[in-house]
Amino acid sequence: MKKKEEIKKIRVRFAPSPTGPLHVGGSRTALFNCLFAKKNNGKFVLRIEDTDVQRSEQKWTDEIIEELKWLGIQWDEGPDIGGEFGPYKQSQRLDIYEKYLKKLLEEDKAYYCFCTEEELEANHQEQMSRGVAPKYDGKCAHLPKETVQKNLAEGKSSVIRFRIQNKKIKFNDLIRGEVEFDAGLLGDVVIAKNLNAPLYHFAVVVDDFLMQISHVIRGEEHLSNTPRQILLIQALGFEQPVYAHLPLMLNTDRSKLSKRQGDVALADYHEQGYLPEALVNFMVLLGWNPGTEKEVFTMAQLAREFSIEKVQKAGAVFNIQRLDFLNGLYIREKPIEKLTELCVPYLKEAGLLIAGQISEASLQKVIEVSRTRMKKLSEISGLSDFFFQNKLGYDKDLLKWQKMSDSEVKDSLSFSKKILSDTKKWDLKDLETELFAASDKFNSEKGYPEKNRGYLLWPLRVALSGKDSSPSPFEIADILGREKTIKRIDEAIKMLA
Ligand code: GLU
């Protein structure tokens, strides 16, 4: 058994490039890393990989941090909170990379390449025409030192290439098992534009080493990068981390998840009113299987139950219906005060909620009666607009239950009006009792089938909501109050006149 101090600490990282919004794929990678760290008493690092100066923007870093926090994903070290191994933004680590680039150059494991775009392109075309897989032809791989010095002194444009050894690279991936690549196919890879401008493969390897990352858990799209990175690790004399490549996310037709088929940015889901708890629960099931029937998990449960060994290697289908289902579930469980607070911005944006127009208590009732139908928060406006509107727009035929005529509907509404005008106590319970009794009485007076409540309650419900589906007329009347209820009945009767 290993002695305590010999057991390597678990340290993982999420390393997004701030070149665009945080995607659901990236969020899942962050989540799996966070859970893996929690489960193993390890540390989770957030590192911003902004070496691509042209494409990186601060606003994306801000959005990534904001959205991860919103999801409830917490890191132990990162650009916003610092840590022992900082800085955590690659643009602030250029002197570190320079040191290692120089080391590789000195040891002749990397070299300056002066090939122009045109030369590289011509080489590419030539290899293609011969039917061989294109790779760098090694033109600058063995330039005399003097030529290199002269070219550099003249300011000739150059990049730094890493010598790829012609050998087989094997590694054991926690999810994919043993993986083998033929590095000979790769060709010498550009690792920096110059000493102060490292590129991804190089910076990632240096940082993972210096930040003592024990496990690299990332998306499958990086699997093919791993051999190059392993060769760099070996060249630099670093220790190799354990790899785990998460399965691709697929559309329901099993194509790769892409913007064309739906939203991929987490912010879009946030905006539509998906709850972070639901997204976390949904994302963890994209590739991970608890091995039981259970499918609803809180973050705390996941931190106990998650295990990387139960992550599948087959692509994970992004099924929006499942997300909607989970979101509906979490919406129904939210404390009403909190849910109301979450719905308010949507109601305001739809111009429905005007300050002072409705009391907090009534607003909560509106949300309470609507929540069973909600799959996402943005649906609240469409589900509850009639509570806020002064005038409802609907077709009078909607008032008819089955084959009722205009005058039958009119009688039904007048009957309801009378009952509701006389009701002493205006609360949900009493309204329900009175209207049920009224419905029985109305049916027997009119000779309608005994238990068919639609004859009285359908026209009333439509008069109050203007919709073919809504909460019950008792619930609506309770919230609207007597005055508005009677007014809406009168308006409906007028339409039938
Ligand atoms: N910065 C890389 C990306 O955003 C991830 C690097 C890695 O996880 O190795 O795709």
Side-chain angles (χ1 to χ4, degrees), residues 59-307:
K59 71 167 184 194
W60 299 126
T61 297
D62 295 343
E63 184 180 307
I64 291 166
I65 291 182
E66 194 185 311
E67 294 299 330
L68 289 174
K69 280 190 178 162
W70 174 72
L71 280 176
I73 294 177
Q74 290 167 332
W75 44 99
D76 303 291
E77 297 163 30
D80 55 334
I81 50 174
E84 216 185 309
F85 301 88
Y88 294 91
K89 262 179 118 173
Q90 290 188 328
S91 56
Q92 295 167 355
R93 300 172 63 79
L94 298 182
D95 48 337
I96 303 177
Y97 307 126
E98 182 176 356
K99 192 177 111 197
Y100 287 99
L101 279 170
K102 281 183 173 160
K103 182 168 148 45
L104 287 182
L105 286 165
E106 273 157 26
E107 293 173 2
D108 197 33
K109 291 174 177 167
Y111 59 88
Y112 282 99
C113 167
F114 301 93
C115 293
T116 61
E117 288 286 337
E118 295 74 38
E119 284 173 311
L120 294 172
E121 182 54 30
N123 176 31
H124 184 99
Q125 293 302 340
E126 191 274 327
Q127 295 183 58
M128 296 277 276
S129 70
R130 277 193 291 124
V132 294
K135 66 177 187 184
Y136 181 57
D137 65 355
K139 183 164 176 248
C140 296
H142 302 286
L143 290 179
K145 260 204 183 108
E146 305 71 54
T147 314
V148 173
Q149 289 314 328
K150 186 171 160 276
N151 283 350
L152 288 175
E154 284 172 0
K156 214 169 168 190
S157 141
S158 63
V159 294
I160 300 173
R161 278 189 196 270
F162 172 62
R163 283 185 209 288
I164 294 280
Q165 291 167 46
N166 188 355
K167 64 176 187 182
K168 291 243 180 334
I169 299 287
K170 257 196 216 163
F171 63 96
N172 200 30
D173 186 285
L174 285 185
I175 296 165
R176 316 194 60 87
E178 192 169 274
V179 182
E180 192 180 298
F181 279 93
D182 183 357
L185 299 172
L186 298 174
D188 295 349
V189 56
V190 181
I191 53 171
K193 292 193 183 145
N194 59 55
L195 287 174
N196 293 308
L199 295 180
Y200 162 65
H201 290 300
F202 184 73
V204 86
V205 158
V206 171
D207 286 347
D208 284 345
F209 173 71
L210 293 179
M211 294 181 182
Q212 295 184 11
I213 298 304
S214 62
H215 292 71
V216 168
I217 304 173
R218 59 186 177 188
E220 193 180 303
E221 64 277 14
H222 289 292
L223 187 64
S224 58
N225 292 331
T226 309
R228 287 184 187 89
Q229 293 174 10
I230 289 179
L231 286 169
L232 272 167
I233 289 170
Q234 292 172 352
L236 288 160
F238 294 164
E239 196 179 333
Q240 190 175 314
V242 176
Y243 291 99
H245 286 91
L246 304 174
L248 287 179
M249 285 191 184
L250 307 176
N251 293 303
T252 35
D253 65 2
R254 303 200 72 83
S255 60
K256 190 165 175 253
L257 194 68
S258 73
K259 178 107 189 105
R260 254 177 303 130
Q261 294 215 25
D263 289 319
V264 288
L266 192 75
D268 292 333
Y269 290 91
H270 186 167
E271 236 172 76
Q272 287 173 48
Y274 286 100
L275 301 179
E277 306 90 306
L279 276 161
V280 160
N281 197 149
F282 172 69
M283 288 190 304
V284 81
L285 296 170
L286 288 172
W288 175 71
N289 184 330
T292 62
E293 292 292 292
K294 187 169 164 179
E295 64 168 348
V296 181
F297 296 92
T298 62
M299 189 73 103
Q301 287 166 336
L302 288 172
R304 287 193 302 273
E305 296 181 32
F306 180 78
S307 67

